[in-house]
Amino acid sequence: MNKKVVTDLDVKSKKVLVRVDFNVPMSKTEIGKILDNKRIVAAIPTIKYLIENKAKVILLSHLGRPKGEAKKEFSLEPISKELSNLIKKEVKFIKSNTVVDENVKKEIENLKDGQIALLENTRFRKEETKNIDEFSKELASLGELYVNDAFGTSHRAHCSNVGICKYLPSALGFLVEKEVDIMSNALANPKRPFVAILGGAKVSDKIMVIENLIKKVDSILIGGAMAFTFLKAQGKNVGKSLVEEDKLDISLKILENAKKNNVKIILPVDVVVSKEFSNDSKFFTVDVDKMKDDYIGLDIGNKTVELFSKKIKDANTVVWNGPMGVFEMSNFSKGTFEIAKALAETSATTIVGGGDSASAIEKSGYKDKITHISTGGGASLEFLEGKVLPAIEAISNK
Ligand code: AMP
């Protein structure tokens, strides 16, 4: 990669601002309760490296959508405690409703080498998500160097990850470096066969991913609700399954384009159906040709699982984004979990995009068997679309 990484910076005794992604799921009923600390854990290698190399570490992050206002339920204070427990070191939380103020500056000046501070939620400032220069400058004035280790927000151009780079020498942290390396290697020099598995609710969200992947992969396995738009485009009855009627034409074009590029698009051959969108109603499996008008397709069937699993087994690189069915309901989660299992059992390089597929992998218990699970849902999707992520682009070149 041509971007600087944290090891390229001389950090000793320097005030290093580090953008991390502490946007963790929080309990809606118990203020301050963290439901999953995975993103905090993922930021630790960079933080540890910086303290071991005697930097003064100043962490920046957002949490949720406070929409430019200081709101208690979005405060990062509980996160500082969790981080402190995880790295067994004090993390000084510097409170301020405006993120930066005179007191914050004073506290930062008092930091000693190897100490860690965490500032308040950057989205308490309305300028943050608009990338307004004034706030970028204010943030930059607190430090001497800048490190971006927040992959999950790297598809967004905000003050704390893009604007700030104009004012400080910058580098990527270990997490972002790893995410970018693994995904760009897989896309640029995949060991073949290269198989992509796409699922989830909408074709519209994945059109650009498919268009980019058609130039790179050998096959694309499509499950989830989006498969029904493709099946309907081929003239099949899909009953009351979720279909994007306005995407039928583009789905046909994608199928033709894949053929031209010698890429196999493989659709479900059987599906789990029910007459209601509910976990309490009767469900059964039918071949896709046997769908009736009142059936709703809610998962891939066993034959499809077998077909997809065989493709995964024969692959050398696999990328997965999006669940195979309504995996939140136990009756329709089997397809998604079986695909997680197939990924765990292959010796191929396996990459799972963030969001639902990442949480399915975690629930399945196969997390450790996957080469890479991305910490960014939206960011990994844009990466697969072949887009340049603005917060990575903004980092100093080597
Ligand atoms: P996405 O955010 O596009 O990755 O979509 C994820 C959502 O797609 C999950 O909440 C799933 O419940 C939903 N989904 C997957 N398969 C189906 C289906 N056959 N019918 C309706 N929703 C589905």
Side-chain angles (χ1 to χ4, degrees):
M1 202 182 345
N2 67 337
K3 294 293 170 189
K4 280 199 174 158
V5 289
V6 60
T7 45
D8 294 322
L9 300 175
D10 178 11
V11 299
K12 188 165 186 288
S13 301
K14 296 268 170 54
K15 288 174 283 180
V16 184
L17 289 158
V18 187
R19 176 56 157 104
V20 286
D21 182 4
F22 287 167
N23 184 31
V24 293
M26 304 291 286
S27 163
K28 292 212 167 48
T29 47
E30 217 177 304
I31 287 192
K33 187 167 183 229
I34 298 164
L35 298 178
D36 178 357
N37 68 5
K38 179 168 83 244
R39 286 181 160 174
I40 306 176
V41 172
I44 290 178
T46 298
I47 298 171
K48 272 206 171 141
Y49 171 84
L50 288 168
I51 54 181
E52 277 160 16
N53 286 278
K54 309 266 183 310
K56 297 163 182 161
V57 180
I58 306 144
L59 302 172
L60 307 170
S61 178
H62 79 284
L63 172 65
R65 294 184 175 171
K67 304 212 164 113
E69 276 174 53
K71 291 181 186 152
K72 193 170 185 308
E73 65 271 31
F74 294 109
S75 171
L76 286 178
E77 192 159 11
I79 314 265
S80 66
K81 294 190 184 120
E82 178 70 11
L83 176 63
S84 174
N85 288 337
L86 287 167
I87 57 172
K88 300 185 176 56
K89 211 172 158 21
E90 187 199 356
V91 176
K92 214 175 167 55
F93 181 68
I94 311 183
K95 238 187 190 134
S96 164
N97 284 347
T98 52
V99 189
V100 184
D101 62 27
E102 285 312 310
N103 178 55
V104 173
K105 287 183 190 165
K106 228 188 297 158
E107 296 260 17
I108 287 177
E109 285 314 316
N110 290 335
L111 281 180
K112 298 197 178 65
D113 294 355
Q115 276 195 318
I116 310 167
L118 171 64
L119 304 194
E120 190 49 283
N121 191 339
T122 51
R123 289 196 190 167
F124 280 6
R125 291 284 293 268
K126 60 181 179 315
E127 301 97 317
E128 163 73 336
T129 53
K130 298 182 186 132
N131 195 16
I132 290 174
D133 226 25
E134 291 316 308
F135 184 45
S136 305
K137 268 193 223 165
E138 275 180 51
L139 288 173
S141 74
L142 302 174
E144 295 158 279
L145 297 169
Y146 172 76
V147 172
N148 184 0
D149 211 22
F151 183 72
T153 49
S154 55
H155 57 314
R156 305 272 181 239
H158 294 167
C159 295
S160 66
N161 65 349
V162 169
I164 193 170
C165 293
K166 261 206 292 195
Y167 301 104
L168 291 175
S170 58
L172 298 175
F174 295 125
L175 171 65
V176 178
E177 183 193 21
K178 185 172 145 216
E179 293 259 15
V180 172
D181 269 354
I182 292 181
M183 286 203 267
S184 42
N185 269 337
L187 291 179
N189 316 299
K191 276 210 257 157
R192 294 186 180 279
F194 181 8
V195 172
I197 312 155
L198 298 175
K202 293 191 193 152
V203 175
S204 48
D205 290 344
K206 306 270 158 71
I207 288 173
M208 285 195 285
V209 176
I210 300 176
E211 282 173 350
N212 188 41
L213 289 180
I214 277 180
K215 296 178 250 158
K216 302 177 189 297
V217 303
D218 300 292
S219 1
I220 304 179
L221 319 179
I222 297 183
M226 62 184 280
F228 295 105
T229 301
F230 282 95
L231 290 166
K232 183 154 188 187
Q234 289 180 327
K236 296 212 158 68
N237 180 10
V238 297
K240 289 201 274 180
S241 307
L242 191 63
V243 164
E244 283 174 279
E245 295 288 341
D246 60 338
K247 294 293 174 285
L248 295 175
D249 287 348
I250 183 114
S251 299
L252 264 191
K253 276 200 197 112
I254 287 173
L255 292 171
E256 280 162 23
N257 198 14
K259 225 184 225 162
K260 270 191 225 146
N261 282 273
N262 243 339
V263 172
K264 289 199 181 66
I265 292 196
I266 303 176
L267 298 169
V269 290
D270 62 344
V271 283
V272 180
V273 297
S274 177
K275 290 185 182 176
E276 319 262 344
F277 190 85
S278 154
N279 206 36
D280 300 320
S281 66
K282 266 194 14 206
F283 63 101
F284 45 98
T285 304
V286 293
D287 286 353
V288 283
D289 295 322
K290 303 272 160 50
M291 286 286 280
K292 294 201 176 140
D293 291 349
D294 56 350
Y295 289 177
I296 312 171
L298 296 167
D299 195 9
I300 55 172
N302 285 338
K303 286 187 211 162
T304 308
V305 164
E306 226 171 90
L307 177 69
F308 285 10
S309 301
K310 168 92 175 58
K311 281 278 166 195
I312 293 166
K313 192 167 174 232
D314 294 340
N316 274 312
T317 307
V318 183
V319 172
W320 180 23
N321 194 301
M324 296 291 102
V326 185
F327 78 110
E328 299 92 335
M329 297 187 200
S330 57
N331 293 343
F332 312 110
S333 64
K334 190 173 172 214
T336 300
F337 288 123
E338 288 293 325
I339 294 305
K341 184 162 168 251
L343 254 75
E345 285 172 353
T346 171
S347 53
T349 299
T350 44
I351 298 172
V352 178
D356 288 332
S357 356
S359 71
I361 286 275
E362 254 155 52
K363 273 197 210 144
S364 74
Y366 295 120
K367 185 172 110 210
D368 299 334
K369 299 254 159 68
I370 304 298
T371 313
H372 182 66
I373 303 174
S374 178
T375 54
S380 70
L381 207 57
E382 292 203 13
F383 206 93
L384 294 179
E385 288 172 2
K387 285 195 185 144
V388 173
L389 304 182
I392 293 168
E393 186 59 14
I395 295 294
S396 313
N397 288 327
K398 274 198 180 163

